[in-house]
Amino acid sequence: MWPKFPQNAVWRRSDTHKWYGALLTVTSDKLALPGATHVVTVLDLRARPEDLSMLIDGQHYLPGYHMNKKHWYSILLDDVVPLATIMDDVKVSYMLAK
């Protein structure tokens, strides 16, 4: 989608054309992650504003990188969050993009 970032991608609903997911690579310092700076991959998803405070843990679930933090959050794709959980989160995000 972006020539400067060919490894990034977005998912859109076919009916509304709204984004419901974004796969992004970013340096860990931009996410305020501890330790040496390195490149990480995150998945940005939509959430209900009232659910965000329960999701964000500052380690694996982060405020939405490069998105409206009132409606988006990022999952750090480091093999800690189970794939089944991520898939459930994607389904919720898809529905919220209606």
Side-chain angles (χ1 to χ4, degrees):
M1 181 157 184
W2 301 282
K4 188 175 176 182
F5 302 101
Q7 67 278 19
N8 294 349
V10 298
W11 298 322
R12 297 176 195 239
R13 285 185 62 117
S14 61
D15 54 350
T16 64
H17 304 285
K18 290 183 179 182
W19 291 16
Y20 65 92
L23 186 65
L24 306 167
T25 55
V26 62
T27 55
S28 57
D29 60 320
K30 292 182 180 173
L31 300 171
L33 294 172
T37 300
H38 58 286
V39 176
V40 297
T41 303
V42 295
L43 177 60
D44 281 0
L45 297 171
R46 292 176 178 261
R48 290 182 278 288
E50 60 271 17
D51 295 337
L52 283 175
S53 64
M54 293 182 294
L55 284 172
I56 305 299
D57 65 9
Q59 295 176 359
H60 307 289
Y61 284 83
L62 308 159
Y65 174 72
H66 208 59
M67 300 294 222
N68 178 330
K69 289 163 182 47
K70 182 178 177 185
H71 298 280
W72 289 82
Y73 65 98
S74 297
I75 301 174
L76 183 62
L77 299 180
D78 61 355
D79 295 325
V80 173
V81 178
L83 181 58
T85 301
I86 293 171
M87 296 307 297
D88 288 342
D89 294 341
V90 168
K91 289 175 190 175
V92 170
S93 185
Y94 180 84
M95 296 308 297
L96 291 172
K98 207 167 191 182

